[in-house]
Amino acid sequence: MSTATLKTTELNTNATIYPILFAISFVHLLNDSMQAVIPAIFPILEESMKLSFTQLGWIAFTLNMTSSVMQPLVGWYTDKTTSPYILPFGMGASLLGMIGIAYSQSFWMIILSVIGIGLGSAVFHPEGSRVAYMAAGSRRGLAQSIYQVGGNTGSSLAPIMTALIFVPFGQHGAIWFTSLAAIAIFVLMYVSSWYSRQLLKIKKPAITAKSSSTANASIKRKVSFAIGIIIFLVFARSFYFSGISNFYQFYLIKDYGLTITQAQVYLFVYMAAGVLGTFAGGPIADRIGRKNLIFWSITGTAPLAIFLPHAGLWLIFPLLFLIGFIINTSFAVTVVYAQELLPGRIGMVSGLIVGLAFGMGALGSVVLGKISDITSITATMMFVSFLPLFGLFTLFLPNEKTLRSGT
């Protein structure tokens, strides 16, 4: 085990530190609010810069893939060498990216600005998840829910941003979000200071003997298999989420005749329900088990998702609320499940699972954008409606107790 791994393990024995959990959750809200600017501004960019659905897909791809590729790398690095003050440094990259979004005059300038925001997110997410793990004490599920609900709340603000900021002020409205980056940097300085003080209190533990190589090989096979299934489930969930968050607004506008502002209200219902689902997922998983919660979260969404494209306008509100709530109950739980599979690699596994979620959403954005250009936005919505059925693969996940016992 590395020094950083041992430190993280020892820190986890402390009592739950709620001020730090709420602080890192608040910054998660600010960080993901800035990320939400990108899909929120899509209708504005489509009209003002005459961008195609494919180009919009590439913008989302750039944002999500930048953070997806970098998050596991950042986590791997910080697992080996703790870097508390990398958090405010990364947020500085997001601040520069927000300035670029406000004043970009071409597609390629937008792409470069989005790279800055993606890099900032890549630094924040694995280290933010580590801070939540360190401050959790024995309440890992609750701590991760508190942390993740901040991010989901920030993401849910995208429709409100479009209706209240980008519709009246256009692209230049993005400049207001630089203040969010500045506030986040200030709060992260406080969090990083606490992080540093905690590390100074820890004595270097003695090196323990290695376990049986046979037992290790057996556990590694089970862990690798479980991580592979989790990755596939994240793929299905993120692909579906990408379809709703990035393109469903166009479906409502073109097929139901809604205005941009009206479409944002429906999208906000879905996002807001996701916030509630994220927070509820941890306590529910404590009662029924993480594997069971993941199964019912994704698979349970399937009937509603398949019916959604055929529903009348009056049914869309309740359907979006239920879909958003149910499918997001597994968001934080999936991260905790993966962390418990690899407790010595908290940063890397958090970056892998959360970063992978963004990466799969990035791939989905490009694919779905291309499908929309070739066929229609209606055909795209029909396609994504079947993705939650992949939740059936949860049945192949090993039980948490079985993995922990090594049998």
Side-chain angles (χ1 to χ4, degrees):
M1 295 175 69
S2 68
T3 301
T5 298
L6 292 168
K7 289 175 179 177
T8 300
T9 302
E10 185 169 337
L11 279 169
N12 191 52
T13 64
N14 295 340
T16 305
I17 312 298
Y18 286 102
I20 295 298
L21 286 176
F22 289 124
I24 201 67
S25 179
F26 176 65
V27 175
H28 201 180
L29 184 152
L30 298 179
N31 180 84
D32 285 24
S33 293
M34 287 183 284
Q35 281 192 260
V37 166
I38 308 306
I41 208 172
F42 275 1
I44 306 301
L45 295 178
E46 182 204 25
E47 184 176 334
S48 64
M49 300 179 68
K50 308 302 179 185
L51 299 183
S52 67
F53 285 123
T54 302
Q55 287 177 309
L56 295 177
W58 277 112
I59 293 172
F61 176 87
T62 301
L63 171 67
N64 297 330
M65 188 55 70
T66 301
S67 62
S68 172
V69 170
M70 294 300 296
Q71 277 192 47
L73 294 178
V74 171
W76 173 82
Y77 172 76
T78 54
D79 278 337
K80 295 182 175 295
T81 306
T82 52
S83 306
Y85 287 94
I86 198 174
L87 283 164
F89 176 80
M91 194 58 63
S94 294
L95 190 151
L96 294 176
M98 290 309 306
I99 295 173
I101 289 291
Y103 295 104
S104 293
Q105 298 180 353
S106 70
F107 171 71
W108 291 109
M109 289 179 68
I110 292 286
I111 290 292
L112 290 175
S113 300
V114 161
I115 288 174
I117 297 172
L119 289 175
S121 179
V123 170
F124 172 77
H125 280 101
E127 280 300 276
S129 190
R130 184 197 301 279
V131 169
Y133 185 91
M134 290 168 59
S138 60
R139 310 193 68 179
R140 295 181 189 174
L142 176 63
Q144 196 63 221
S145 290
I146 291 173
Y147 169 66
Q148 296 293 352
V149 82
N152 282 22
T153 302
S155 297
S156 72
L157 296 176
I160 303 300
M161 294 176 196
T162 302
L164 300 181
I165 298 176
F166 296 120
V167 169
F169 298 108
Q171 180 182 342
H172 295 300
I175 197 65
W176 291 98
F177 294 92
T178 58
S179 61
L180 300 187
I183 294 171
I185 290 172
F186 178 79
V187 177
L188 286 175
M189 291 298 293
Y190 162 72
V191 172
S192 297
S193 177
W194 171 84
Y195 187 172
S196 296
R197 290 196 304 272
Q198 294 303 109
L199 295 180
L200 290 175
K201 296 177 183 177
I202 299 172
K203 296 179 182 179
K204 187 175 180 181
I207 299 175
T208 58
K210 293 184 178 179
S211 303
S212 163
S213 59
T214 302
N216 281 341
S218 175
I219 293 173
K220 284 180 179 179
R221 284 194 298 270
K222 293 178 180 179
V223 168
S224 297
F225 178 77
I227 289 293
I229 295 294
I230 286 291
I231 288 174
F232 184 79
L233 294 172
V234 169
F235 164 79
R237 187 182 62 199
S238 300
F239 214 86
Y240 180 78
F241 182 84
S242 176
I244 298 296
S245 61
N246 289 330
F247 296 101
Y248 190 69
Q249 56 188 318
F250 296 108
Y251 176 69
L252 290 172
I253 292 168
K254 296 181 184 300
D255 281 47
Y256 289 87
L258 300 185
T259 65
I260 292 177
T261 301
Q262 289 172 332
Q264 303 313 307
V265 177
Y266 285 83
L267 197 56
F268 176 72
V269 168
Y270 172 77
M271 298 288 195
V275 174
L276 299 177
T278 299
F279 188 74
I284 294 174
D286 289 339
R287 289 179 175 272
I288 69 174
R290 306 201 206 289
K291 174 183 173 179
N292 290 334
L293 187 280
I294 294 170
F295 173 81
W296 289 112
S297 170
I298 303 175
T299 311
T301 303
L304 301 174
I306 292 171
F307 179 62
L308 180 64
H310 309 282
L313 191 61
W314 65 278
L315 268 177
I316 292 178
F317 265 130
L319 282 173
L320 284 176
F321 181 87
L322 290 173
I323 292 171
F325 182 89
I326 295 170
I327 201 167
N328 279 284
T329 54
S330 64
F331 191 87
V333 175
T334 304
V335 177
V336 175
Y337 184 95
Q339 287 177 339
E340 291 182 345
L341 290 175
L342 294 169
R345 294 289 182 267
I346 298 301
M348 186 188 72
V349 75
S350 299
L352 179 65
I353 299 302
V354 180
L356 185 66
F358 285 112
M360 294 301 98
L363 178 61
S365 297
V366 175
V367 172
L368 296 177
K370 192 65 177 179
I371 292 174
S372 299
D373 282 334
I374 294 175
T375 58
S376 68
I377 198 69
T378 302
T380 300
M381 291 299 104
M382 297 294 181
F383 169 73
V384 300
S385 68
F386 290 94
L387 292 174
L389 288 173
F390 285 115
L392 291 170
F393 280 84
T394 308
L395 296 173
F396 296 104
L397 277 177
N399 184 276
E400 305 99 286
K401 293 181 181 178
T402 301
L403 281 169
R404 283 196 287 269
S405 65
T407 58

